[in-house]
Amino acid sequence: MPTVAALIIGNEILTGKVQETNVALLARELFARGVDLRRVVVCRDDVRVIAEDVNDLRRRHDWVVTSGGVGPTHDDVTLAAVARAFGRELVRSRELEEMIRRLVGDRLEEGHLRMSVVPDGAELVTCPGVTWPVVLVDNVFVMPGLPKVFRIELPAVSERIGASTPFVSRAIFTLCRETEIAPLLDRIVAEHTTVEIGSYPVTDEDYRVRLTFDGIDPEAIDRAVEALLAVLPTEKIVQR
């Protein structure tokens, strides 16, 4: 099972000026493919900090996906930071420059051409339906922070990462409070170690707690679900 880490880059995320949504997009895509998203880190638009985080994450995970800091302005420093992490120079990609010139035409400005600068040796990754390539340096994908563009380019990333045994997920919706079911969950978790069990309280719904069961073995998940259902009061079960 491939492991992935995400590095979310941007002062606007850390100051609350922009609400981050790309992690959810990435997590759902990877989960559907049976790929394990292990860690998410958020950092500032600082070349040194980004490079340190990239190096730490890429050494501990099969793949790293960055989001943000890709563009023509002064605070778009992610590609420079990735180049620093790998000890490489920034160079202009002839392929990207040609794409930009075709797309922009007579409106071409220096700011457009800045978008063609990548770390030396970077690969441009695409797939059917994805027109603008994703920059890949070794095992680090450099993705834009704009959610609409991130979503469009995500298939190219997931195709390259590949797929593993798909995750299976089941859920039980209950009227129980977490304090009521905590001892039961402790026992179920201890007895079903291959199943990841989550407990999520909510408000303003027709249930109080959603219990999730995730894993790659459907039979193991079914056993864990049935074991919990056997000890939950029937009248507290809203949906299973």
Side-chain angles (χ1 to χ4, degrees):
M1 182 185 297
T3 60
V4 179
L7 178 59
I8 309 303
I9 300 158
N11 296 353
E12 70 277 12
I13 304 298
L14 292 169
T15 58
K17 294 174 184 175
V18 173
Q19 184 174 354
E20 207 293 318
T21 59
N22 290 338
V23 169
L25 293 171
L26 177 64
R28 285 194 291 266
E29 176 77 11
L30 296 178
F31 187 85
R33 299 178 69 87
V35 177
D36 195 7
L37 178 60
R38 288 280 182 88
R39 192 175 182 194
V40 177
V41 175
V42 183
C43 72
R44 295 176 56 80
D45 296 306
D46 182 293
V47 171
R48 179 185 60 81
V49 173
I50 297 168
E52 290 176 353
D53 285 337
V54 165
N55 276 332
D56 179 61
L57 295 173
R58 72 184 178 92
R59 290 166 181 158
R60 297 170 182 266
H61 303 83
D62 297 317
W63 301 96
V64 177
V65 178
T66 75
S67 168
V70 180
T73 58
H74 69 283
D75 55 350
D76 293 316
V77 296
T78 298
L79 285 164
V82 172
R84 175 170 174 165
F86 285 90
R88 302 185 187 183
E89 298 293 326
L90 285 172
V91 297
R92 181 165 290 181
S93 163
R94 181 175 298 179
E95 182 178 346
L96 284 179
E97 181 178 350
E98 290 176 354
M99 290 180 65
I100 291 169
R101 290 184 181 277
R102 286 198 304 271
L103 289 170
V104 178
D106 294 338
R107 297 182 295 106
L108 185 71
E109 298 176 353
E110 180 57 31
H112 292 113
L113 293 178
R114 290 181 187 178
M115 302 291 291
S116 67
V117 176
V118 298
D120 192 21
E123 180 183 353
L124 303 180
V125 179
T126 189
C127 71
V130 177
T131 55
W132 188 260
V134 176
V135 175
L136 174 62
V137 184
D138 195 3
N139 65 334
V140 179
F141 295 96
V142 183
M143 297 277 284
L146 192 64
K148 181 177 180 180
V149 183
F150 187 94
R151 182 184 295 107
I152 291 172
E153 295 187 358
L154 187 55
V157 173
S158 61
E159 283 290 325
R160 172 56 64 91
I161 291 174
S164 185
T165 304
F167 288 112
V168 177
S169 184
R170 287 189 59 184
I172 301 173
F173 299 81
T174 82
L175 296 174
C176 300
R177 293 182 174 86
E178 281 196 307
T179 51
E180 295 178 67
I181 57 177
L184 299 177
L185 287 177
D186 288 344
R187 194 177 80 197
I188 299 299
V189 168
E191 294 174 351
H192 301 269
T193 56
T194 63
V195 179
E196 184 174 332
I197 300 174
S199 176
Y200 307 101
V202 297
T203 58
D204 302 323
E205 296 285 351
D206 59 357
Y207 64 94
R208 285 181 175 168
V209 175
R210 175 169 60 99
L211 303 167
T212 62
F213 302 77
D214 300 331
I216 60 174
D217 183 347
E219 293 182 357
I221 291 174
D222 288 343
R223 287 194 295 269
V225 169
E226 295 307 316
L228 185 57
L229 288 173
V231 294
L232 284 177
T234 304
E235 66 275 10
K236 293 292 186 75
I237 301 171
V238 176
Q239 184 180 336
R240 50 180 291 187

